[in-house]
């Protein structure tokens, strides 16, 4: 993934030292050997299950950001990670209402925690409130608004969602107007690189917003057969999880 975004060509001396990335996800395995150089602060749990990552998604993303593995190195291996656990052992919220509240509270807390620093933090959230049913109303809008508000104090990067390829499937907080919404790209063996993933949510978002803002290497494999075979993104893996 690092090679595919040409990060190594942009600079050879940017290690992320001094940069804080607040990760809103399933937590981080602070003892993972891929993260030995990263400074990890488990800031808050919103699931009621503790600070430990029981699912693996948060640790996977932490590796993409800060892994110092010789082959699967992260973009910023010396960055500082703040962990705000909003997803349970199944990678979900306890309920939709609880997930919405957790996301709102966590992003506000990350901004509040950052006020003691002299530089902007990066807030990364790959969670998703889908654009359907009750989420299309107040829940969807509430999450987007909370993350848009955080952009006055932080660089906020969020996922477009995994609801593609149907149009108008951008999930919250990706439907916000001020956040950087990222779709997923994949590489096909013997084929094109950085091809927009089949599963990646498509725009436009609510109110006709042009989303996503950018696509970058993504994680899921397409299960539609050999014609759609795509390479997923390798990163840190927790024992006992997929």
């Amino acid at each position: 993934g690092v090679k595919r975004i040409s990060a190594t060509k942009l600079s050879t001396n940017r290690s992320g030292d001094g940069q804080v990335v607040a990760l809103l996800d399933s937590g981080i395995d602070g003892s993972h050997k891929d993260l030995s150089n990263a400074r990890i602060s488990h800031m808050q749990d919103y699931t009621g299950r503790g600070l430990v990552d029981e699912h693996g998604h948060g640790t996977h993303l932490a590796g993409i950001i800060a892994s110092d593995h010789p082959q699967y190195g992260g973009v910023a291996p010396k960055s500082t990670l703040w962990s705000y656990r909003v997803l349970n052992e199944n990678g979900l919220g306890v309920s939709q209402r609880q997930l919405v509240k957790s996301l709102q509270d966590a992003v506000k807390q990350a901004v509040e925690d950052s006020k003691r620093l002299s530089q902007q933090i990066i807030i990364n959230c790959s969670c998703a409130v889908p654009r359907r049913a009750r989420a299309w109303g107040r829940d969807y809008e509430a999450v987007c608004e909370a993350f848009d508000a955080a952009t006055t104090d932080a660089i906020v990067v969020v996922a477009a969602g995994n609801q593609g390829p149907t149009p108008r499937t951008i999930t919250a907080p990706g439907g916000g107007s001020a956040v950087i919404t990222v779709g997923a790209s994949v590489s096909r063996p013997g084929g094109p690189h950085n091809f927009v993933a089949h599963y990646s949510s498509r725009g436009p978002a609510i109110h006709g917003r042009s989303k996503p803002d950018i696509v970058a290497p993504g994680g899921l494999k397409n299960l539609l057969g050999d014609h759609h075979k795509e390479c997923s993104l390798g990163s840190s893996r927790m024992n006992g999880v997929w």
Side-chain angles (χ1 to χ4, degrees):
V2 174
K3 182 178 180 181
R4 280 168 54 196
I5 63 172
S6 301
T8 54
K9 295 180 181 178
L10 294 175
S11 175
T12 57
N13 58 4
R14 291 187 180 180
S15 62
D17 194 14
Q19 178 63 58
V20 173
V21 182
L23 191 58
L24 279 60
D25 213 279
S26 61
I28 303 173
D29 178 4
S31 64
H32 200 292
K33 61 184 180 181
D34 289 355
L35 303 172
S36 59
N37 283 333
R39 301 171 182 87
I40 302 172
S41 300
H42 288 285
M43 300 298 296
Q44 187 70 44
D45 168 49
Y46 294 88
T47 67
R49 296 186 60 88
L51 299 170
V52 178
D53 184 2
E54 299 175 287
H55 181 263
H57 190 266
T59 300
H60 180 84
L61 288 190
I64 294 172
I65 297 166
S67 169
D68 59 355
H69 188 281
Q71 182 177 357
Y72 300 104
V75 176
K78 292 185 180 180
S79 56
T80 297
L81 300 178
W82 288 357
S83 178
Y84 298 82
R85 187 183 179 191
V86 295
L87 300 178
N88 63 17
E89 72 279 14
N90 298 313
L92 304 169
V94 177
S95 64
Q96 179 177 297
R97 169 48 58 186
Q98 184 59 41
L99 176 60
V100 168
K101 185 177 187 305
S102 295
L103 288 171
Q104 291 174 293
D105 291 346
V107 72
K108 291 177 183 177
Q109 188 62 51
V111 169
E112 186 63 30
D113 292 337
S114 73
K115 290 182 178 179
R116 57 187 171 87
L117 303 177
S118 60
Q119 68 181 64
Q120 281 188 314
I121 66 169
I122 298 168
I123 297 175
N124 187 92
C125 179
S126 292
C127 308
V129 175
R131 183 178 174 176
R132 65 172 184 267
R134 290 184 298 116
W136 169 236
R138 288 178 295 176
D139 287 352
Y140 188 102
E141 292 277 16
V143 172
C144 289
E145 289 169 0
F147 279 77
D148 275 344
T151 62
T152 59
D153 299 282
I155 299 168
V156 184
V157 183
V158 298
N162 298 334
Q163 310 294 317
T166 306
R168 295 180 172 82
T169 50
I170 302 292
T171 57
S177 61
V179 296
I180 300 173
T181 305
V182 185
S185 67
V186 292
S187 290
R188 293 183 173 177
H193 295 289
N194 297 327
F195 186 88
V196 178
H198 180 83
Y199 62 83
S200 186
S201 291
R202 267 64 166 176
I206 58 171
H207 308 307
R209 293 170 183 161
S210 181
K211 293 286 181 173
D213 300 294
I214 194 171
V215 294
L220 292 175
K221 276 195 173 182
N222 196 309
L223 302 179
L224 297 183
D226 291 340
H227 179 67
H228 295 279
K229 185 180 290 185
E230 298 166 347
C231 295
S232 56
L233 187 64
S235 182
S236 306
R237 178 183 181 274
M238 286 177 55
N239 290 332
V241 301
W242 177 65

